[in-house]
Amino acid sequence: MAKEEAAGSLREKNVKVVFVLGGPGSGKGTQCANIVRDFGFTHLSAGDLLRAEIKSGSENGTMIQNMIKEGKIVPSEVTIRLLEKAMIENGNDKFLIDGFPRNEENRAAFEEVTKIEPEFVLFFDCPEEEMEKRLLNRNQVLSSPHGRDDDNIETIRKRFKVFLESSLPVIEHYYSKAKVRKVDAARSADEVFESVKGIFSSFGPKDS
């Protein structure tokens, strides 16, 4: 019942959702911050919400933590409920959802539970070599002199593989509905944001 009510109140709010997808190192975080600043969206990261829930020490948080520890994928419905709650509690009606849906099952469940279809998917398309270079640079800045780059590169490549296998079917699905806005993310952050601004111009500038 609560689920039905949640979906109902989101529809009443006439919530607009944009999914933000891109591989690790494609610059999603930087661009989301720019969109929030200029177009008044609220940025929701599925990963951040899950981490916050774990930190809260709730029963739900403990269950999530145990699943992650065991290397299991957190059920779609758990993540969707957290996203739904965050959207209802937030006064805004425009949301960027970052890093979700991670796969087709997430996508189908989100539309089924919330009864919301995204306005579009903002897809940051970046060659693997470029993302690898960015992440390694970032790791070198963050890590101690003893940090081992071969460890990093192995982990990074695994993350790319997971992204490609899981997220590309989601992108294909929305391509078939003409709902993908692809941005060449290999350029500088400023150049990328010029393209992003064009995509979001229909939403108008942030209310001053």
Side-chain angles (χ1 to χ4, degrees), residues 3 9 15-16 22 28 45 48 53 58 71 73 94 102 112 129 131 134 145 161 179 183 197 201:
K3 208 164 67 180
S9 55
V15 162
K16 289 181 169 54
K28 293 195 311 276
S45 153
D48 288 351
E53 189 68 16
S58 70
I73 289 174
K94 298 186 294 191
R102 280 187 182 277
E112 173 64 29
E129 309 78 71
M131 292 194 281
R134 289 177 186 177
K161 193 166 177 286
K179 281 193 168 201
V183 176
K197 274 200 289 207
S201 58

Side-chain angles (χ1 to χ4, degrees), residues 114-181:
T114 64
K115 309 290 183 239
I116 294 170
E117 266 206 41
E119 302 296 300
F120 55 84
V121 173
L122 183 63
F123 172 39
F124 290 108
D125 189 27
C126 195
E128 197 169 312
E129 309 78 71
E130 177 60 28
M131 292 194 281
E132 205 169 274
K133 199 168 76 186
R134 289 177 186 177
L135 290 170
L136 286 175
N137 284 343
R138 203 157 73 186
N139 284 357
Q140 274 161 358
V141 171
L142 294 174
S143 64
S144 70
H146 311 295
R148 280 182 48 189
D149 275 346
D150 55 339
D151 287 344
N152 293 339
I153 199 128
E154 213 164 283
T155 314
I156 286 166
R157 287 188 176 150
K158 262 188 206 145
R159 284 167 68 198
F160 288 147
K161 193 166 177 286
V162 168
F163 171 73
L164 285 173
E165 286 170 0
S166 310
S167 299
L168 282 183
V170 175
I171 292 161
E172 292 296 323
H173 170 84
Y174 287 118
Y175 258 126
S176 72
K177 298 185 153 213
K179 281 193 168 201
V180 176
R181 308 288 179 268

Side-chain angles (χ1 to χ4, degrees), residues 1-15 17 77-90 92 95 109-116:
M1 187 60 203
K3 208 164 67 180
E4 292 295 313
E5 279 168 23
S9 55
L10 281 179
R11 275 203 306 278
E12 279 152 33
K13 271 179 91 171
N14 196 16
V15 162
V17 165
E77 190 145 321
V78 172
T79 309
I80 292 163
R81 262 194 304 233
L82 291 174
L83 286 165
E84 218 173 23
K85 183 167 172 263
M87 286 193 278
I88 289 166
E89 287 172 358
N90 188 289
N92 205 348
F95 295 93
F110 181 87
E111 290 186 11
E112 173 64 29
V113 172
T114 64
K115 309 290 183 239
I116 294 170

Side-chain angles (χ1 to χ4, degrees), residues 46-47 49-51 53-54 60-82 100 102-103 105-106 109:
L49 288 172
L50 288 168
R51 281 186 285 276
E53 189 68 16
I54 290 169
N60 200 25
T62 308
M63 181 268 289
I64 294 166
Q65 189 171 28
N66 291 338
M67 291 199 77
I68 292 171
K69 256 193 208 144
E70 289 165 25
K72 292 179 183 162
I73 289 174
V74 177
S76 297
E77 190 145 321
V78 172
T79 309
I80 292 163
R81 262 194 304 233
L82 291 174
F100 185 92
R102 280 187 182 277
N103 54 39
E105 195 261 332
N106 276 176

